[in-house]
Amino acid sequence: MKKCFNFTIRIFLKIKDKAVSGRRKTEETPRKTEKGLDAFRLTRIWPAWEKRMGPIQPWCLAVLFLLQMSCIFGEPVLRQSVRRIQPGEKPYSLSAKRGSDNHGTWTTWFNIDHPGGSGDYERLDAIRFYYRERLCPRPLRIEARTTDWIPADKTGQAVHFSAQEGFWCLNKEQPEGQTCLNYAVRFLCPADSLPQDSKTLWSSWSKWSDCSAKCDQTGIQTRTRTCLAESLLDPRCEEVSEEGRRCLGSPCSVCNLTCSMGRVNAECDACMCEEHLLRGKVSLPDGAPAVTASVYLQAKATKLLTVTDDNGAFHIPGICPDGKTTLEIKKPRYRTALVTVPANPGHSSLVQVHLKRAEKPYMVTHPESKARRGGQSVSFCCNAIGKPVPSRYFWFHNETLLDPMLYKYKNNLVLKNLKADHSGQYLCKTSNEAGSVKSQAATLSIIGKNEAPCNPQPESHLIQLPHDCFQNSTNSFSYDVGNCLSKTCAGALDKSLRCKDGVTNCCGATKMEMRELSCAGYTLPIKVTVECGCQKCTEAKVVVRGRAVASDTDEPMRFGHIFMGNNRVGMTGYKGTFSVQVPPNTERLVLTFVDRLHKFVNTTKVLPFNKNGGAVFHEVKMLRKKPPITLDSNETSMISLGDMEGDDPMGKLEIPPNTFYRQNGDPYTGKVKASVTFLDPRNVSNAVMAQSDLNFVDDEGDMLPLRTYGMFSMDFTDETATESLNAGKVKVHLDSSQVRMPEHLEGMKLWSLNPQTGLWEEEGDFQLDRSRRSKREERTFLVGNMEIRERRLFNLDVPESRRCYIKVRTYRSERYLPSEQVAGVVVSVINLEPTPGYSTNPRAWGRFDSGVTTSNGACVPAFCDDQNPDAYSAYIMANLGGEELEAVPSSPRLNPFAIGVPQPYLSKLRYQRTDHFDRNVKKTAFRISVAKPTPNAAEESNGPIYPYEKLQECEAAPYTAAHFRFYRVEGDRYDYNTVPFNEDDPVNWTEDYLAWWPRPVEFRACYIKLKINGPLEVNIRSRNMGGTHPRTVGRLYGIRDVRSIRDLDYLNLSAACLEFKCSGMLYDQERIDRTLVKIIPQGNCYRESVNSMLHEYLVNHLPVAVNNDSSQYTMLAPLDPLGHNYGIYTVTDQDPRTAKEIALGRCFDGTSDGSSRIMKSNVGVALTFNCQERDAQQQNLFQALRNVPSRYPASSLRERIGLRRPSQSRRGLIRGKGIPFARIPQK
């Protein structure tokens, strides 16, 4: 009795001591939740006490719990305050007690400044501005410590602080060579002066856990609840989060387990058959033996039985072959396999297990952003794939976990009776045994029941008017037509709750007004948006297209396969072209290009696209395979990685003898053909060939970037090159001298690419090679081990967290007007490699990123550093439909207004266009030092570089914020639509009978080819009006202007491809309109001839337009897609810009299926005009206007390179035969 009493008293004092120092222990090491007595840390005392005093009786333990029971208020309950610390969170300071004080309550720690600039400032007024609800009006005391949890008075630095003003540390007051550390502060507030609302901050209690006691013994049961505050460091999370109560184990005499064979073991959880021997063999997916796989017995408590040997075999005696016993086989990076021992009356049994590779979950369905009114309901959904398939999901609101017991969600989250505090971002997270993944965040917008869903007042939107329509009222060629900001709005909903709303509503133009503008000799109708409202969103198709070509010679990958996951979604054409429609709700488009001729390495790309609709062009550079070399499978082979001239290889592969396997798992002996293709990051021209987007998913499910030190693809076949071989135990040796940043040596890992997800997955670590090397070998290597099985593409990478975003906008001209921004432009960033001392190396790269511009530009990720502005640099370039856009010049001097970045930040970024020092270099890129903005520096807080955590701020930045610029080269082409429409953003399409494009999901482009006989290049206009439809007859659809291109072989010959509005259904799809098209050359011109086939077609398809004026040509546009024999070129596509580009290429080429960027003047012509130079006194108005460039600027942008002025380099044109013409009598 005395012994038990002493033990009980000691345990009680220990628990009391734990309660006092619990907070400090929690801060030092995150507490692990354990069942039974372990939850109260008794296991640290019990063994030592039993060793000294003998075994403790069960009833003695019961006395211990009775000391903690309340016998007045019913069932005894043990209470314990448990703080859990999330991964990545810092625990509280050890220098001060947490929680209540004699005079009040301590706040959370605040850290709103960093020690850059003149020092670290944690001022009270600034903290109150950001965290007003977490701070009392009049703090009593202040405490300070560093982010490394060192009290301020222990750092040796000069600091200042007071409860009324806050804390500050000045760099100039510190010892020479030192700067202020990063400090955090907290304040002591009077009692009850901080918000206390614990009822809404805690989840409901969980169910009681199983009793921890063994049979006939006493144990405990526990239950928990979760603090739902934004941070678990919130002082309101100090209440009890875990409870325990006493329970009794089941009687020892009861064992419900019965065995059909053998006997029950002592633990009463399995059957034993001493005379039986179980043999097994475990293999990998390719048939190779699974070495060191763990074999467990599946019972109440899983037990490790054995581990497989070098042949993948195991032997287990005593397992009963009753057809019920189940084994679990586990191996890292492979799925857990379950196998049931088959029924067998003999003394031995054999089982074979084939493991399958485990795959991390990958989110295929993301929640969609939605808008609702107060009181309505909403549903969010997500779905992930993986092996094994993830089954449990967790939802977060503004990064705070939603209580599963309260919201009762799975992979869908339903919120009812919405209120204002429900607004914000929602995302889901799921896991399997291989890892975790998070979805993209969806935004929920909540407005009041009577609040307008959209701003009814349109935003300003300027468009360019025709060249002969100068407006004296505005003293310009611009006119404000208004624009409604396209965003999701709260419209009418159906009663059912769906993952995707049945009807998606967007803000758009609900009222337009027709106005007339006075121009030179005519009146121009124009429709202006006067009111915005919520209406059904325009559904536009999203397409990616481009070319897949060799990186060295631009040889096309002909008839290659394109895969999206495991599904083939397309093929490349003869010229390597491809077009793929993006499935709805896709967040990340992953395509794999497979060369059927095996010339190129299979290439997986993550291609950005325009979510608002339309087509985005990508040029996919394919890496050519290295010629195979012959290896002997019985000998050690070494293969170099990298072959930069004048430099050592990045590393080498070591293939031990007898390491090759056939696809069925049998060892292979003989000659091996090995092709190892290495993508060397020391050559900056290789950056565009980088596989995927160099991202991986960490254990928490967040997608993070990698910085590469080289990629390599491996292909092993037998001597006849008919069977692919696998290999195990291959070593990778990485030359440490090639790693420029010493801190990267410790984080270097070996990765393999998952072509299904486009994500890199970790294969293993690198270790320092401590083996002896020859005296001549002075280099130090890192060694990593890998297996070459179903994956053949590997990467030498380091996770890199120092990232920022670069804001870029693209424009139609050098005017840089907000209304002339171009969407659908691919902006690419090549991150250059820093060398020792952080001076950049222009010959090496570490990462390649791309983004697509929207109507508000693009934010492209890049590496950056906040300590040294020159630590990282990058090249930025822009491409639209295969055409490279020009960057703003940097010489002879920097122009901050043109570049878009103010001084002094521009000088800090060291902006230089690629032709800065050499005028012969292309002007299509610029280079900057990616200097992370300094906190609290006003001139650096408004772009163009944004910290990685401020992506939303970057994407929503106004036009006035700093940004870099690209522009298209001016061309002789102009488009005017009566109903304004931006072809780069199909979502802004408006329902109107006068719309140039009748349907937003199908765009039909029509061009007519004209030949001009005469010494001059001529401007030609098409006026397009309603022809046969009663609602549009005689009303203007739009105007198109173009300038002819001179033929280099004939002095007095030029040609032009002029767009006109195609005939067909209008937007209501009820009646056809044949567009009345007038083609008017500007100058002293007369119609010379008309294509005979076109003339015959128009005569046979009534009505026929009257052509009494020989200086122009009028026709009712044909309904049929005629072709080059008629001089008419028609293309239908899901994207307007693509349709026009294809039709224009055919028109230039003069064929119905070809494409050219060089005008062929005598092929496929519809009309011929003769235009002679007139005297200056006889110049028409159009020519006169062109002689006043200061008032009448050059025409709008060209659509393609072929519309430039001809240069001397355009020689060797392909000539074609002419088309017979019917001469029309002139009147």
Side-chain angles (χ1 to χ4, degrees):
M1 176 68 74
K2 181 179 181 180
K3 178 174 67 176
C4 175
F5 179 80
N6 292 337
F7 173 77
T8 305
I9 294 300
R10 181 171 177 178
I11 294 299
F12 179 80
L13 294 177
K14 195 71 176 179
I15 294 175
K16 181 179 179 182
D17 185 60
K18 287 284 182 180
V20 175
S21 61
R23 170 57 59 192
R24 183 171 300 174
K25 292 296 182 181
T26 303
E27 294 166 347
E28 294 174 353
T29 304
R31 184 185 297 273
K32 296 182 179 179
T33 304
E34 300 169 328
K35 294 184 178 181
L37 297 177
D38 290 348
F40 298 95
R41 300 293 190 263
L42 301 184
T43 54
R44 300 182 179 179
I45 306 172
W46 196 333
W49 189 270
E50 286 189 316
K51 185 175 180 181
R52 294 175 53 194
M53 306 299 295
I56 306 302
Q57 298 298 323
W59 64 268
C60 179
L61 179 63
V63 174
L64 170 64
F65 289 105
L66 291 174
L67 290 173
Q68 297 293 311
M69 292 192 300
S70 172
C71 300
I72 300 175
F73 299 102
E75 186 178 19
V77 175
L78 298 170
R79 295 184 178 268
Q80 177 186 21
S81 181
V82 179
R83 274 295 278 95
R84 286 169 174 73
I85 299 177
Q86 295 180 340
E89 285 187 344
K90 291 290 187 180
Y92 287 109
S93 171
L94 303 179
S95 62
K97 292 183 180 180
R98 179 73 185 156
S100 299
D101 191 91
N102 294 334
H103 304 287
T105 303
W106 286 100
T107 66
T108 58
W109 290 99
F110 301 104
N111 182 12
I112 64 170
D113 191 23
H114 297 276
S118 59
D120 190 8
Y121 296 86
E122 309 292 340
R123 303 301 296 262
L124 181 63
D125 52 353
I127 296 174
R128 195 186 306 281
F129 177 80
Y130 290 106
Y131 304 102
R132 183 173 301 276
E133 296 181 356
R134 301 186 187 179
L135 197 61
C136 56
R138 296 181 180 83
L140 303 176
R141 283 167 48 195
I142 183 176
E143 282 190 358
R145 51 118 177 122
T146 69
T147 54
D148 294 326
W149 303 93
I150 302 175
D153 57 355
K154 302 294 184 183
T155 61
Q157 293 192 336
V159 297
H160 312 269
F161 55 90
S162 72
Q164 290 72 36
E165 297 184 15
F167 172 92
W168 63 97
C169 173
L170 304 179
N171 289 334
K172 65 182 181 181
E173 297 180 354
Q174 310 311 319
E176 185 176 357
Q178 293 187 16
T179 58
C180 292
L181 299 173
N182 195 5
Y183 288 92
V185 299
R186 67 173 183 172
F187 299 89
L188 181 67
C189 290
D192 300 328
S193 63
L194 286 175
Q196 298 291 336
D197 188 15
S198 61
K199 292 183 180 180
T200 60
L201 287 175
W202 289 93
S203 66
S204 56
W205 286 103
S206 65
K207 295 181 180 179
W208 289 102
S209 64
D210 296 334
C211 187
S212 63
K214 296 183 179 179
C215 59
D216 284 345
Q217 295 187 13
T218 304
I220 61 170
Q221 290 175 288
T222 60
R223 66 175 183 176
T224 61
R225 62 174 180 169
T226 305
C227 183
L228 303 179
E230 181 177 354
S231 171
L232 292 180
L233 302 180
D234 195 304
R236 293 171 290 178
C237 292
E238 298 299 324
E239 298 184 13
V240 174
S241 62
E242 185 172 7
E243 293 181 343
R245 69 181 182 185
R246 184 170 65 92
C247 61
L248 296 175
S250 58
C252 290
S253 57
V254 178
C255 181
N256 298 324
L257 181 63
T258 59
C259 296
S260 59
M261 299 177 65
R263 62 179 180 82
V264 179
N265 63 2
E267 291 81 7
C268 189
D269 58 4
C271 298
M272 297 179 59
C273 298
E274 288 86 349
E275 297 181 356
H276 184 266
L277 177 64
L278 176 65
R279 295 184 175 89
K281 186 174 182 180
V282 184
S283 60
L284 299 178
D286 61 354
V291 182
T292 66
S294 301
V295 183
Y296 294 85
L297 174 64
Q298 194 178 70
K300 292 182 179 179
T302 305
K303 299 179 181 180
L304 176 63
L305 300 179
T306 186
V307 176
T308 58
D309 58 20
D310 291 340
N311 296 318
F314 63 87
H315 303 80
I316 305 175
I319 296 294
C320 289
D322 53 4
K324 300 179 181 179
T325 304
T326 303
L327 303 179
E328 294 182 3
I329 293 86
K330 298 182 179 181
K331 183 176 174 63
R333 292 198 292 275
Y334 290 90
R335 297 163 59 182
T336 299
L338 301 179
V339 57
T340 301
V341 180
N344 185 4
H347 295 290
S348 66
S349 299
L350 175 66
V351 293
Q352 291 187 343
V353 182
H354 297 279
L355 297 181
K356 296 181 179 180
R357 189 180 181 100
E359 295 183 1
K360 288 186 176 182
Y362 180 70
M363 202 67 66
V364 293
T365 302
H366 298 262
E368 295 186 0
S369 296
K370 299 182 179 181
R372 293 290 188 271
R373 293 188 181 274
Q376 292 181 332
S377 301
V378 71
S379 175
F380 293 109
C381 299
C382 66
N383 188 41
I385 59 175
K387 296 180 180 179
V389 178
S391 58
R392 191 173 183 185
Y393 291 80
F394 296 93
W395 284 90
F396 295 81
H397 176 215
N398 293 335
E399 299 184 357
T400 299
L401 176 65
L402 298 177
D403 183 12
M405 302 295 293
L406 177 62
Y407 290 90
K408 303 185 185 304
Y409 54 70
K410 293 183 180 179
N411 66 331
N412 66 310
L413 172 68
V414 176
L415 303 174
K416 298 182 178 181
N417 192 22
L418 293 172
K419 300 179 181 178
D421 56 2
H422 283 109
S423 61
Q425 292 191 325
Y426 291 82
L427 62 86
C428 72
K429 176 182 178 180
T430 187
S431 307
N432 64 7
E433 59 188 58
S436 303
V437 69
K438 292 179 180 177
S439 71
Q440 296 288 336
T443 301
L444 176 62
S445 303
I446 306 293
I447 63 173
K449 294 183 179 180
N450 299 320
E451 185 179 350
C454 302
N455 182 6
Q457 185 67 31
E459 297 182 343
S460 175
H461 182 73
L462 298 177
I463 66 168
Q464 290 297 114
L465 298 176
H467 309 282
D468 50 356
C469 198
F470 183 81
Q471 298 299 298
N472 294 322
S473 59
T474 60
N475 195 32
S476 70
F477 285 93
S478 301
Y479 194 81
D480 190 352
V481 297
N483 182 50
C484 298
L485 181 62
S486 180
K487 65 176 184 178
T488 305
C489 58
L493 300 173
D494 52 18
K495 296 182 179 180
S496 60
L497 290 173
R498 304 179 182 178
C499 301
K500 179 179 178 61
D501 289 342
V503 176
T504 306
N505 297 290
C506 299
C507 294
T510 55
K511 185 178 180 181
M512 301 188 75
E513 178 179 284
M514 179 66 80
R515 299 177 184 175
E516 292 185 348
L517 304 180
S518 297
C519 302
Y522 66 96
T523 300
L524 183 70
I526 186 170
K527 281 207 167 184
V528 178
T529 301
V530 295
E531 185 177 324
C532 301
C534 190
Q535 58 188 8
K536 182 180 178 181
C537 296
T538 300
E539 295 183 2
K541 294 184 179 179
V542 181
V543 178
V544 294
R545 62 185 188 91
R547 295 174 64 237
V549 296
S551 58
D552 49 0
T553 64
D554 278 347
E555 175 190 354
M557 185 186 74
R558 295 188 172 100
F559 310 116
H561 290 163
I562 304 176
F563 289 88
M564 186 186 300
N566 291 321
N567 301 320
R568 199 179 82 182
V569 295
M571 291 183 65
T572 60
Y574 180 78
K575 296 184 179 180
T577 57
F578 65 89
S579 179
V580 176
Q581 184 172 338
V582 181
N585 306 324
T586 299
E587 291 287 339
R588 195 164 175 269
L589 180 64
V590 182
L591 298 179
T592 299
F593 296 81
V594 178
D595 180 23
R596 297 192 299 167
L597 303 179
H598 306 290
K599 293 182 180 180
F600 308 109
V601 174
N602 292 348
T603 301
T604 298
K605 287 287 188 179
V606 180
L607 300 181
F609 55 92
N610 189 353
K611 295 182 180 180
N612 290 334
V616 174
F617 182 92
H618 294 276
E619 191 162 71
V620 178
K621 295 291 187 179
M622 307 290 292
L623 185 62
R624 194 180 297 275
K625 281 187 177 181
K626 284 284 186 181
I629 59 176
T630 303
L631 309 178
D632 191 337
S633 64
N634 298 319
E635 299 178 358
T636 299
S637 301
M638 304 294 291
I639 301 177
S640 296
L641 299 177
D643 53 359
M644 286 288 293
E645 184 177 354
D647 203 347
D648 293 326
M650 289 289 296
K652 53 189 176 182
L653 291 179
E654 178 184 348
I655 305 176
N658 305 316
T659 192
F660 289 102
Y661 290 87
R662 296 184 182 273
Q663 292 296 322
N664 60 4
D666 294 339
Y668 174 83
T669 57
K671 300 297 183 181
V672 177
K673 288 190 173 183
S675 173
V676 178
T677 307
F678 185 72
L679 185 66
D680 201 322
R682 295 173 295 181
N683 185 353
V684 71
S685 63
N686 290 341
V688 295
M689 292 175 278
Q691 297 266 0
S692 182
D693 58 355
L694 284 173
N695 285 326
F696 77 102
V697 175
D698 67 357
D699 294 336
E700 292 299 313
D702 294 309
M703 190 176 295
L704 300 176
L706 292 171
R707 184 250 182 267
T708 186
Y709 282 91
M711 303 177 185
F712 54 96
S713 171
M714 293 179 288
D715 187 16
F716 299 117
T717 62
D718 61 1
E719 191 171 4
T720 62
T722 57
E723 181 183 2
S724 180
L725 302 177
N726 297 334
K729 301 180 180 178
V730 176
K731 292 185 177 180
V732 182
H733 300 262
L734 176 63
D735 186 357
S736 61
S737 65
Q738 299 291 345
V739 182
R740 306 295 185 182
M741 303 181 72
E743 62 268 28
H744 282 179
L745 291 173
E746 298 180 0
M748 187 69 64
K749 295 180 183 293
L750 187 64
W751 307 77
S752 67
L753 179 64
N754 185 341
Q756 313 297 322
T757 64
L759 295 170
W760 294 90
E761 298 180 3
E762 184 179 341
E763 288 286 336
D765 297 321
F766 280 89
Q767 303 294 332
L768 185 64
D769 186 4
R770 303 186 182 278
S771 60
R772 293 185 177 181
R773 298 183 298 275
S774 63
K775 294 182 179 180
R776 296 182 180 180
E777 183 62 86
E778 298 180 354
R779 294 182 295 170
T780 302
F781 286 88
L782 299 176
V783 180
N785 297 311
M786 58 184 291
E787 295 179 349
I788 305 169
R789 304 200 183 280
E790 67 272 14
R791 295 186 183 176
R792 301 300 176 100
L793 187 63
F794 298 89
N795 203 348
L796 310 173
D797 275 27
V798 175
E800 180 60 270
S801 58
R802 291 174 287 192
R803 301 200 74 192
C804 293
Y805 284 99
I806 303 174
K807 183 72 173 188
V808 179
R809 297 178 187 268
T810 53
Y811 297 87
R812 294 187 179 278
S813 69
E814 294 179 84
R815 292 184 290 264
Y816 308 122
L817 299 177
S819 59
E820 290 189 350
Q821 294 189 73
V822 182
V825 178
V826 178
V827 180
S828 301
V829 174
I830 300 177
N831 296 268
L832 300 182
E833 176 193 64
T835 57
Y838 287 120
S839 59
T840 54
N841 176 10
R843 295 181 61 244
W845 59 278
R847 185 177 172 86
F848 180 83
D849 281 291
S850 297
V852 173
T853 59
T854 64
S855 57
N856 201 38
C859 296
V860 189
F863 291 136
C864 62
D865 191 84
D866 57 353
Q867 299 296 325
N868 191 326
D870 300 328
Y872 287 99
S873 65
Y875 279 116
I876 297 95
M877 61 207 90
N879 185 290
L880 176 64
E883 172 192 347
E884 294 178 319
L885 275 61
E886 286 195 10
V888 181
S890 57
S891 63
R893 63 182 181 86
L894 290 175
N895 184 349
F897 297 100
I899 296 172
V901 181
Q903 294 284 20
Y905 198 18
L906 179 61
S907 297
K908 183 178 179 180
L909 298 176
R910 298 189 175 185
Y911 177 93
Q912 286 185 355
R913 196 167 71 174
T914 45
D915 68 334
H916 186 81
F917 297 108
D918 186 357
R919 292 301 177 187
N920 295 321
V921 178
K922 292 194 299 184
K923 309 173 184 179
T924 54
F926 63 86
R927 178 179 172 180
I928 60 170
S929 294
V930 191
K932 188 174 183 179
T934 304
N936 299 326
E939 66 274 9
E940 300 180 14
S941 62
N942 198 29
I945 311 298
Y946 292 84
Y948 195 67
E949 62 274 9
K950 293 187 177 182
L951 173 60
Q952 292 184 346
E953 182 179 331
C954 177
E955 292 177 336
Y959 169 79
T960 54
H963 59 274
F964 293 109
R965 293 169 174 172
F966 286 91
Y967 64 93
R968 299 189 70 186
V969 179
E970 281 282 359
D972 295 313
R973 168 186 172 275
Y974 172 73
D975 296 350
Y976 172 80
N977 298 323
T978 300
V979 179
F981 175 71
N982 182 3
E983 294 175 357
D984 299 320
D985 186 14
V987 175
N988 69 57
W989 179 83
T990 304
E991 291 184 352
D992 198 288
Y993 283 100
L994 293 177
W996 184 275
W997 307 98
R999 298 183 61 193
V1001 294
E1002 183 179 81
F1003 298 90
R1004 191 180 182 197
C1006 295
Y1007 282 81
I1008 185 171
K1009 190 168 185 178
L1010 299 94
K1011 184 169 69 172
I1012 307 296
N1013 291 320
L1016 300 177
E1017 294 176 339
V1018 178
N1019 290 282
I1020 308 169
R1021 169 173 293 181
S1022 71
R1023 287 183 60 87
N1024 303 266
M1025 298 175 288
T1028 59
H1029 197 288
R1031 285 185 172 267
T1032 62
V1033 62
R1035 302 177 67 186
L1036 184 70
Y1037 289 116
I1039 294 174
R1040 297 294 185 264
D1041 288 341
V1042 71
R1043 188 174 181 84
S1044 64
I1045 298 175
R1046 180 169 301 284
D1047 192 298
L1048 298 181
D1049 292 341
Y1050 298 94
L1051 181 62
N1052 293 322
L1053 182 63
S1054 63
C1057 291
L1058 179 64
E1059 184 186 7
F1060 63 90
K1061 186 183 183 306
C1062 306
S1063 296
M1065 291 284 189
L1066 299 187
Y1067 89 92
D1068 59 4
Q1069 299 296 301
E1070 292 182 356
R1071 186 168 177 174
I1072 290 174
D1073 179 41
R1074 289 190 63 185
T1075 309
L1076 181 64
V1077 181
K1078 287 189 177 182
I1079 298 172
I1080 311 169
Q1082 304 290 327
N1084 186 21
C1085 301
Y1086 67 90
R1087 185 174 66 251
E1088 191 171 274
S1089 61
V1090 179
N1091 183 301
S1092 60
M1093 297 180 66
L1094 175 61
H1095 179 71
E1096 182 180 356
Y1097 176 90
L1098 295 177
V1099 170
N1100 293 331
H1101 292 77
L1102 301 177
V1104 178
V1106 178
N1107 276 284
N1108 293 329
D1109 190 347
S1110 63
S1111 64
Q1112 62 187 29
Y1113 182 76
T1114 304
M1115 69 174 180
L1116 288 170
L1119 284 169
D1120 302 313
L1122 298 182
H1124 69 285
N1125 290 329
Y1126 299 80
I1128 303 294
Y1129 303 86
T1130 305
V1131 173
T1132 302
D1133 195 85
Q1134 299 166 343
D1135 174 64
R1137 193 172 55 214
T1138 302
K1140 294 172 70 169
E1141 181 174 343
I1142 296 174
L1144 199 56
R1146 294 177 180 177
C1147 183
F1148 269 52
D1149 194 54
T1151 61
S1152 296
D1153 55 359
S1155 181
S1156 174
R1157 290 176 180 263
I1158 298 176
M1159 179 67 76
K1160 301 176 182 179
S1161 303
N1162 284 319
V1163 184
V1165 177
L1167 298 174
T1168 301
F1169 284 87
N1170 191 302
C1171 299
Q1172 300 300 322
E1173 187 174 4
R1174 67 168 66 188
D1175 296 336
Q1177 293 83 359
Q1178 297 178 337
Q1179 287 183 344
N1180 63 13
L1181 177 62
F1182 188 88
Q1183 292 172 323
L1185 294 177
R1186 291 181 55 82
N1187 294 330
V1188 192
S1190 60
R1191 183 177 179 185
Y1192 303 96
S1195 60
S1196 184
L1197 314 171
R1198 63 180 176 87
E1199 179 66 19
R1200 51 194 292 110
I1201 294 176
L1203 289 177
R1204 293 184 181 179
R1205 293 288 189 273
S1207 63
Q1208 295 299 323
S1209 62
R1210 291 167 57 181
R1211 294 293 182 184
L1213 302 185
I1214 301 176
R1215 312 300 299 176
K1217 295 182 179 180
I1219 301 298
F1221 285 85
R1223 188 168 299 275
I1224 306 298
Q1226 307 297 322
K1227 294 186 181 181

